[in-house]
Amino acid sequence: MGTNEDLNGHLEHARAVLLVRDAMARTTADLPAIPDLAGPARAQGRRRIARLRAAIGGGAVAVAAIAVAGALALPGTGTGTGRGATGVEVAAPPPSSQAQPQPPVHLEPSPGESSMADLPPAERARQENFQNRAVAVLQELLPPTVGTVQRTDLSVRLYRGTKDGKTFDIIFSVRPSGADRTDRPCLEVKGQVCKRATLPGGIEATTATAPVNNGDVAETRLSFHYGKSNVSLSVSPHDASGTSAPVTGDQLLELAKAPGFLDLVKAADSDPVEQEQKIIPGG
């Protein structure tokens, strides 16, 4: 059995506890009533109270600290988004830059020649947007032998294909024709080979494969009228390697029949990116 001192100690401790509880009751009695909460909030409140009571018990604080530390050390397991240490969702990384258009091939203008860098910013952006659309269409429809198609920063009509270290200049032009709508005959002279075909909508198109430069290499061209514009598409040879344009006239005719290409031509005809074609007297 305990001594009188032990008994008195227990009694003093009990009285102290009662005094504290009485003080807390008087303090909270004057506070306004807690508004009614939604079911989930009440449940959360009960859980917090339960955790608080558990923490008052011996050793609960230490256990809770260990549990929190362990939770923070766990890696995120979500897909697409993750959760940081505070439980806040972390946004997924931005899409890969591979989906963005490639930068243009830089070409220095000749003396006295202007480039797209000289355009007003808004017009330059408009022409670059058209170039990016054209690159996507040409890349899809030109044969793989042309290689990777890129725009250039010299002119809205100038592009380039690259394959196995060889470059092939590509000119794609949709220019307002003005009064110049004369169909020039394609003469099969000096090795030039011509072919005509009808595109959707009854459009008459002409292709030509012709020797150029020293005559050892050939260029392939396509031309037709659409709306108020003269349309042309040509692929040049790679002179240094003696490689002719890696596309045939028939392949350009098939390209011209594709809806994607004709949609691009229609867009440039209704909102031109080139100046009206000028007629040179006697030219």
Side-chain angles (χ1 to χ4, degrees), residues 174 226 261-271:
V174 185
Y226 184 96
F261 181 75
L262 291 175
D263 286 345
L264 190 63
V265 169
K266 181 179 179 180
D269 179 64
S270 61
D271 188 16

Side-chain angles (χ1 to χ4, degrees), residues 130-152:
F130 177 80
Q131 282 186 313
N132 288 329
R133 293 176 58 191
V135 165
V137 172
L138 295 174
Q139 186 70 76
E140 177 184 1
L141 297 178
L142 284 170
T145 49
V146 176
T148 301
V149 179
Q150 291 176 270
R151 64 186 180 92
T152 73

Side-chain angles (χ1 to χ4, degrees), residues 6 9 14 43 75 83 91 94 97 101 104 117 126 147 161 166 181 183 186 228 259 267:
D6 293 334
R83 291 185 178 273
S97 59
R126 188 178 75 92
K166 302 173 185 177
R181 292 187 57 86
D183 288 322
C186 182
K228 299 174 291 184

Side-chain angles (χ1 to χ4, degrees), residues 23-256:
M24 292 176 63
R26 289 195 303 271
T27 301
T28 57
D30 296 331
L31 296 176
I34 298 176
D36 188 24
L37 302 175
R42 288 198 300 272
Q44 186 180 22
R46 295 192 188 100
R47 288 195 297 270
R48 288 179 177 176
I49 293 173
R51 288 197 297 270
L52 180 59
R53 288 175 177 171
I56 294 175
V61 174
V63 173
I66 293 173
V68 171
L72 294 180
L74 290 175
T77 58
T79 57
T81 59
R83 291 185 178 273
T86 60
V88 178
E89 288 192 358
V90 179
S96 171
S97 59
Q98 294 179 353
Q100 300 299 319
Q102 292 188 357
V105 176
H106 175 65
L107 297 177
E108 285 291 334
S110 301
E113 183 183 21
S114 61
S115 72
M116 295 178 67
D118 301 315
L119 296 171
E123 177 61 18
R124 180 178 178 180
R126 188 178 75 92
Q127 292 191 16
E128 288 177 346
N129 179 63
F130 177 80
Q131 282 186 313
N132 288 329
R133 293 176 58 191
V135 165
V137 172
L138 295 174
Q139 186 70 76
E140 177 184 1
L141 297 178
L142 284 170
T145 49
V146 176
T148 301
V149 179
Q150 291 176 270
R151 64 186 180 92
T152 73
D153 62 359
L154 182 61
S155 170
V156 68
R157 65 204 300 262
L158 183 58
Y159 303 79
R160 176 168 286 181
T162 304
K163 177 76 172 181
D164 298 330
K166 302 173 185 177
T167 58
F168 306 98
D169 286 338
I170 302 168
I171 295 178
F172 171 49
S173 173
V174 185
R175 172 177 283 184
S177 57
D180 182 21
R181 292 187 57 86
T182 304
D183 288 322
R184 295 177 175 85
C186 182
L187 302 177
E188 295 192 352
V189 295
K190 298 181 180 180
Q192 179 168 268
V193 178
C194 304
K195 186 172 183 178
R196 287 184 177 272
T198 303
L199 306 181
I203 301 170
E204 293 295 325
T206 302
T207 63
T209 301
V212 293
N213 302 336
N214 59 8
D216 294 335
V217 291
E219 177 184 74
T220 306
R221 302 186 295 268
L222 164 78
S223 62
F224 59 91
H225 296 301
Y226 184 96
K228 299 174 291 184
S229 304
N230 290 332
V231 182
S232 63
L233 174 64
S234 66
V235 181
S236 298
H238 183 247
D239 292 320
S241 64
T243 304
S244 293
V247 60
T248 67
D250 286 339
Q251 287 173 323
L252 289 188
L253 284 175
E254 288 302 313
L255 175 150

